[in-house]
Amino acid sequence: MLIGVIADDFTGASDIANTLAKGTAPEGGLVTAQFAGVPEGAAPVGIEAGVISLKSRTAPVAEAVADSLAALEWLLAQGCQQILFKYCSTFDSTPQGNIGPVAEALAARMGASGVVVCPAFPGAGRTVYQGHLFVFDRLLSDSGMQHHPLTPMTDPDIRRVLAAQTTASVGHVAAPVVRAGSTAVAQALEMARARGEIFCVTDAVSDDDLLTIGTALADARLITGGSGIALGLPRNLIRAGHAAGGRMAGSAVAGPAAILAGSCSGATLGQVARHAAANPTLAIDVAQVMAGQVTADTLMAFYASHAGAAPLAFSSGTPDEVRATQDRFGRAEVAHRLDTLFAETARLLLRAGFRRFVVAGGETSGAVAQAVAAELAQPALRIGPEIDPGVPILSLDGPAPVALALKSGNFGAPDFFAKALEKMETA
């Protein structure tokens, strides 16, 4: 294995796995697999990039650090020479962590400094300029992320956020340096190491910037960022003769489908509304879930009664609705009960013969992916064709193949759900 990725949630893991598998023209990408948690045994033969999916984004800081270090040790044992800590392109965290503490622990374990910090993903409207994170034409703090129920982002200055989360010194590689080329970026990072700066927030406003940065990182042992920072990494390995290039082929998967949505982002709410206009939907009453009146059996009955269609069950709500529910029952308890509900439902769906799963929301995706992988005893998910930017088809082979699409809340076109199910059948 050449590159190892530690991702702090499941949709983010799918996003960067897609980037590594797709690569850039004409070189292509790497043979990539996504793992539901840290595997117990060795990686399958032939995997060039391994992405470990954790649920560390909203875990207690100590747990997030411990899980990430465990993932690091497994990846190093597989022979990885380059490690990438992947977090969301909106830098989802709190003033206490978890991005800073995890990155600091990884840097300490690897003896790394001058480590790039770059959440930019221009294809999804996320750019970094003057050390500040933008979502399209808005600062992160004005983008809607300031209302996120778990990781509200109220400060767009990534240097300041990192400084609050870590004891490390934080530098900056500005846009003019990036535009001067990869040699200039590499020199700036070397100067940062000489100054004792552990991290360097690096500006990027286009894919060309990310490719420039990627070239400068050919020999970097530790990198942190959103999925965009991986854009140029396969090219480095292919040009050096360490990888052949190309991409893993997809496999068509038919059969009953289920859509599960647990995100309250504006994009997901719009996707739910569009899908509901022509397809069976079930709005999950969270209060009834907390009271034990809505269970996995309830959801299974809904899906079974619409097995020939494209049924969608969702717990999504507006920020005010979500906040009111959390105030009433407690944020952690609500999240736990919903994760458990979706995981148990996924197991029942598999046993009932459902073979296509489309999931919205990082926490929900993590719960479903872990349940599916455990039920099928297959920890490695193969990366297939891209549905929308940042969202590939994931597949588990076997006598009855299974396909999944794990969508971050803000990702995907308005018709994403229908598009995902169609592409699974024709992959």
Side-chain angles (χ1 to χ4, degrees):
M1 194 180 290
L2 302 170
I3 292 180
V5 181
I6 303 166
D8 67 356
D9 84 334
F10 276 73
T11 55
S14 297
D15 183 2
I16 197 164
N18 177 68
T19 301
L20 291 167
K22 183 168 61 172
T24 53
E27 293 88 354
L30 304 177
V31 178
T32 306
Q34 180 175 341
F35 300 93
V38 181
E40 294 183 1
V45 175
I47 298 299
E48 296 170 329
V51 182
I52 294 182
S53 317
L54 300 178
K55 292 188 67 179
S56 58
R57 180 172 298 175
T58 57
V61 173
E63 180 182 327
V65 169
D67 288 349
S68 299
L69 288 174
L72 172 64
E73 296 302 331
W74 185 84
L75 291 167
L76 293 176
Q78 309 312 305
C80 294
Q81 297 299 307
Q82 192 164 65
I83 300 296
L84 201 161
F85 170 37
K86 195 277 176 193
Y87 39 76
C88 188
S89 58
T90 46
F91 213 74
D92 296 11
S93 54
T94 67
Q96 295 75 36
N98 291 349
I99 293 174
V102 169
E104 192 169 26
L106 295 174
R109 165 64 179 83
M110 300 186 71
S113 59
V115 177
V116 162
V117 175
C118 186
F121 186 2
R126 279 74 160 167
T127 57
V128 180
Y129 182 68
Q130 299 288 24
H132 288 63
L133 181 54
F134 289 79
V135 178
F136 294 102
D137 62 342
R138 302 283 182 178
L139 283 165
L140 176 65
S141 52
D142 298 322
S143 67
M145 279 301 299
Q146 69 271 32
H147 302 306
H148 193 285
L150 299 178
T151 53
M153 297 303 298
T154 59
D155 189 348
D157 188 333
I158 301 305
R159 293 164 294 182
R160 193 160 52 209
V161 174
L162 271 181
Q165 294 181 353
T166 72
T167 60
S169 54
V170 182
H172 178 221
V173 179
V177 177
V178 176
R179 294 190 190 115
S182 58
T183 300
V185 173
Q187 290 173 344
L189 295 174
E190 187 57 40
M191 292 171 62
R193 294 184 191 100
R195 292 192 297 267
E197 294 170 351
I198 303 300
F199 301 114
C200 284
V201 176
T202 305
D203 288 355
V205 298
S206 68
D207 283 351
D208 285 342
D209 288 344
L210 291 173
L211 290 171
T212 296
I213 298 166
T215 301
L217 296 175
D219 297 321
R221 293 196 66 215
L222 177 65
I223 304 165
T224 84
S227 64
I229 197 62
L231 192 62
L233 302 185
R235 184 175 66 177
N236 292 339
L237 294 166
I238 294 165
R239 289 180 174 179
H242 300 310
R247 177 163 182 166
M248 295 179 79
S251 299
V253 176
I259 306 169
L260 307 93
S263 167
C264 62
S265 74
T268 297
L269 292 175
Q271 291 157 350
V272 168
R274 171 144 179 179
H275 194 79
N279 298 278
T281 57
L282 174 67
I284 299 170
D285 188 318
V286 179
Q288 291 184 352
V289 174
M290 302 305 291
Q293 297 169 345
V294 170
T295 67
D297 288 334
T298 309
L299 270 60
M300 187 63 230
F302 162 73
Y303 285 116
S305 64
H306 299 286
L312 161 66
F314 65 97
S315 64
S316 310
T318 66
D320 287 342
E321 291 169 343
V322 172
R323 193 175 301 110
T325 301
Q326 292 177 336
D327 289 345
R328 180 179 176 187
F329 298 106
R331 185 174 71 180
E333 183 61 21
V334 170
H336 171 71
R337 294 289 290 274
L338 287 176
D339 285 354
T340 301
L341 174 69
F342 283 121
E344 291 179 351
T345 301
R347 293 189 189 96
L348 293 177
L349 287 165
L350 274 174
R351 294 167 191 172
F354 281 71
R355 290 293 174 260
R356 292 179 293 156
F357 296 81
V358 180
V359 193
E363 297 301 310
T364 306
S365 292
V368 171
Q370 283 184 317
V372 169
E375 184 73 16
L376 299 178
Q378 294 189 45
L381 293 87
R382 186 156 55 90
I383 310 303
E386 188 176 56
I387 302 166
D388 272 335
V391 192
I393 295 173
L394 307 177
S395 60
L396 289 162
D397 295 328
V402 172
L404 300 94
L406 309 179
K407 184 193 83 72
S408 178
N410 287 308
F411 280 22
D415 62 344
F416 176 83
F417 295 142
K419 184 190 299 184
L421 293 177
E422 180 181 356
K423 285 201 171 186
M424 287 174 177
E425 284 193 308
T426 59

PDB file of all heavy atoms in Angstrom, residues 36 109 142 150 189 272 290 335 351 382 392 416:
ATOM      1  N   ALA A  36     -14.227   0.013   6.717  1.00  0.00           N
ATOM      2  CA  ALA A  36     -15.131   0.446   7.788  1.00  0.00           C
ATOM      3  C   ALA A  36     -14.426   0.227   9.125  1.00  0.00           C
ATOM      4  O   ALA A  36     -14.523  -0.828   9.738  1.00  0.00           O
ATOM      5  CB  ALA A  36     -16.427  -0.352   7.727  1.00  0.00           C
ATOM      6  N   ARG A 109       3.642  11.615  16.394  1.00  0.00           N
ATOM      7  CA  ARG A 109       4.004  10.201  16.184  1.00  0.00           C
ATOM      8  C   ARG A 109       4.941  10.052  14.995  1.00  0.00           C
ATOM      9  O   ARG A 109       5.864   9.215  15.016  1.00  0.00           O
ATOM     10  CB  ARG A 109       2.728   9.374  15.974  1.00  0.00           C
ATOM     11  CG  ARG A 109       2.933   7.987  15.401  1.00  0.00           C
ATOM     12  CD  ARG A 109       3.722   7.079  16.321  1.00  0.00           C
ATOM     13  NE  ARG A 109       3.874   5.751  15.742  1.00  0.00           N
ATOM     14  CZ  ARG A 109       4.806   5.409  14.848  1.00  0.00           C
ATOM     15  NH1 ARG A 109       5.700   6.314  14.435  1.00  0.00           N
ATOM     16  NH2 ARG A 109       4.869   4.179  14.371  1.00  0.00           N
ATOM     17  N   ASP A 142     -20.487  32.477   7.539  1.00  0.00           N
ATOM     18  CA  ASP A 142     -21.741  33.017   6.995  1.00  0.00           C
ATOM     19  C   ASP A 142     -22.383  32.061   6.004  1.00  0.00           C
ATOM     20  O   ASP A 142     -23.299  32.436   5.278  1.00  0.00           O
ATOM     21  CB  ASP A 142     -21.476  34.356   6.286  1.00  0.00           C
ATOM     22  CG  ASP A 142     -20.936  35.416   7.219  1.00  0.00           C
ATOM     23  OD1 ASP A 142     -21.396  35.469   8.380  1.00  0.00           O
ATOM     24  OD2 ASP A 142     -20.054  36.174   6.796  1.00  0.00           O
ATOM     25  N   LEU A 150     -23.869  19.875  15.403  1.00  0.00           N
ATOM     26  CA  LEU A 150     -22.792  19.205  16.134  1.00  0.00           C
ATOM     27  C   LEU A 150     -21.475  19.967  16.086  1.00  0.00           C
ATOM     28  O   LEU A 150     -20.736  19.993  17.077  1.00  0.00           O
ATOM     29  CB  LEU A 150     -22.579  17.791  15.569  1.00  0.00           C
ATOM     30  CG  LEU A 150     -23.768  16.842  15.657  1.00  0.00           C
ATOM     31  CD1 LEU A 150     -23.431  15.498  15.014  1.00  0.00           C
ATOM     32  CD2 LEU A 150     -24.197  16.631  17.106  1.00  0.00           C
ATOM     33  N   LEU A 189       7.371  25.505   2.710  1.00  0.00           N
ATOM     34  CA  LEU A 189       7.159  24.504   3.753  1.00  0.00           C
ATOM     35  C   LEU A 189       8.460  24.181   4.480  1.00  0.00           C
ATOM     36  O   LEU A 189       8.471  23.964   5.691  1.00  0.00           O
ATOM     37  CB  LEU A 189       6.557  23.239   3.144  1.00  0.00           C
ATOM     38  CG  LEU A 189       5.144  23.386   2.557  1.00  0.00           C
ATOM     39  CD1 LEU A 189       4.716  22.104   1.849  1.00  0.00           C
ATOM     40  CD2 LEU A 189       4.145  23.741   3.652  1.00  0.00           C
ATOM     41  N   VAL A 272     -34.429  15.703  -0.332  1.00  0.00           N
ATOM     42  CA  VAL A 272     -35.553  14.958   0.236  1.00  0.00           C
ATOM     43  C   VAL A 272     -36.868  15.457  -0.340  1.00  0.00           C
ATOM     44  O   VAL A 272     -37.741  14.672  -0.745  1.00  0.00           O
ATOM     45  CB  VAL A 272     -35.546  15.060   1.772  1.00  0.00           C
ATOM     46  CG1 VAL A 272     -36.869  14.550   2.350  1.00  0.00           C
ATOM     47  CG2 VAL A 272     -34.378  14.273   2.359  1.00  0.00           C
ATOM     48  N   MET A 290     -37.268   8.353  20.381  1.00  0.00           N
ATOM     49  CA  MET A 290     -36.764   8.433  21.756  1.00  0.00           C
ATOM     50  C   MET A 290     -37.697   7.713  22.727  1.00  0.00           C
ATOM     51  O   MET A 290     -37.257   7.182  23.751  1.00  0.00           O
ATOM     52  CB  MET A 290     -36.595   9.899  22.175  1.00  0.00           C
ATOM     53  CG  MET A 290     -35.666  10.712  21.276  1.00  0.00           C
ATOM     54  SD  MET A 290     -34.027   9.997  21.077  1.00  0.00           S
ATOM     55  CE  MET A 290     -33.361  10.227  22.723  1.00  0.00           C
ATOM     56  N   ALA A 335     -28.299  11.565  18.871  1.00  0.00           N
ATOM     57  CA  ALA A 335     -27.410  11.032  17.833  1.00  0.00           C
ATOM     58  C   ALA A 335     -27.241   9.528  17.983  1.00  0.00           C
ATOM     59  O   ALA A 335     -27.286   8.781  16.993  1.00  0.00           O
ATOM     60  CB  ALA A 335     -26.055  11.736  17.903  1.00  0.00           C
ATOM     61  N   ARG A 351     -30.972  -8.502   5.215  1.00  0.00           N
ATOM     62  CA  ARG A 351     -31.535  -9.839   5.405  1.00  0.00           C
ATOM     63  C   ARG A 351     -32.801 -10.036   4.575  1.00  0.00           C
ATOM     64  O   ARG A 351     -33.166 -11.172   4.246  1.00  0.00           O
ATOM     65  CB  ARG A 351     -31.834 -10.067   6.888  1.00  0.00           C
ATOM     66  CG  ARG A 351     -30.572 -10.100   7.744  1.00  0.00           C
ATOM     67  CD  ARG A 351     -30.875 -10.006   9.222  1.00  0.00           C
ATOM     68  NE  ARG A 351     -29.654  -9.789   9.998  1.00  0.00           N
ATOM     69  CZ  ARG A 351     -29.635  -9.522  11.307  1.00  0.00           C
ATOM     70  NH1 ARG A 351     -30.788  -9.425  11.978  1.00  0.00           N
ATOM     71  NH2 ARG A 351     -28.498  -9.329  11.930  1.00  0.00           N
ATOM     72  N   ARG A 382     -15.072  -1.560  -2.327  1.00  0.00           N
ATOM     73  CA  ARG A 382     -14.405  -1.205  -3.572  1.00  0.00           C
ATOM     74  C   ARG A 382     -14.955   0.115  -4.111  1.00  0.00           C
ATOM     75  O   ARG A 382     -16.157   0.360  -4.086  1.00  0.00           O
ATOM     76  CB  ARG A 382     -14.612  -2.327  -4.592  1.00  0.00           C
ATOM     77  CG  ARG A 382     -13.849  -2.164  -5.879  1.00  0.00           C
ATOM     78  CD  ARG A 382     -13.648  -3.525  -6.544  1.00  0.00           C
ATOM     79  NE  ARG A 382     -14.905  -4.219  -6.739  1.00  0.00           N
ATOM     80  CZ  ARG A 382     -15.657  -4.098  -7.833  1.00  0.00           C
ATOM     81  NH1 ARG A 382     -15.305  -3.271  -8.789  1.00  0.00           N
ATOM     82  NH2 ARG A 382     -16.763  -4.793  -7.977  1.00  0.00           N
ATOM     83  N   PRO A 392     -18.701   8.553  -4.750  1.00  0.00           N
ATOM     84  CA  PRO A 392     -18.618   7.403  -5.641  1.00  0.00           C
ATOM     85  C   PRO A 392     -19.607   6.315  -5.243  1.00  0.00           C
ATOM     86  O   PRO A 392     -20.191   6.353  -4.155  1.00  0.00           O
ATOM     87  CB  PRO A 392     -17.190   6.915  -5.415  1.00  0.00           C
ATOM     88  CG  PRO A 392     -16.985   7.179  -3.951  1.00  0.00           C
ATOM     89  CD  PRO A 392     -17.729   8.472  -3.645  1.00  0.00           C
ATOM     90  N   PHE A 416     -30.080  13.848  -6.623  1.00  0.00           N
ATOM     91  CA  PHE A 416     -29.030  12.891  -6.290  1.00  0.00           C
ATOM     92  C   PHE A 416     -29.567  11.500  -6.002  1.00  0.00           C
ATOM     93  O   PHE A 416     -29.001  10.495  -6.456  1.00  0.00           O
ATOM     94  CB  PHE A 416     -28.212  13.375  -5.093  1.00  0.00           C
ATOM     95  CG  PHE A 416     -27.184  12.371  -4.651  1.00  0.00           C
ATOM     96  CD1 PHE A 416     -25.965  12.296  -5.291  1.00  0.00           C
ATOM     97  CD2 PHE A 416     -27.451  11.477  -3.615  1.00  0.00           C
ATOM     98  CE1 PHE A 416     -25.018  11.341  -4.919  1.00  0.00           C
ATOM     99  CE2 PHE A 416     -26.510  10.537  -3.236  1.00  0.00           C
ATOM    100  CZ  PHE A 416     -25.283  10.468  -3.881  1.00  0.00           C
TER     101      PHE A 416
END
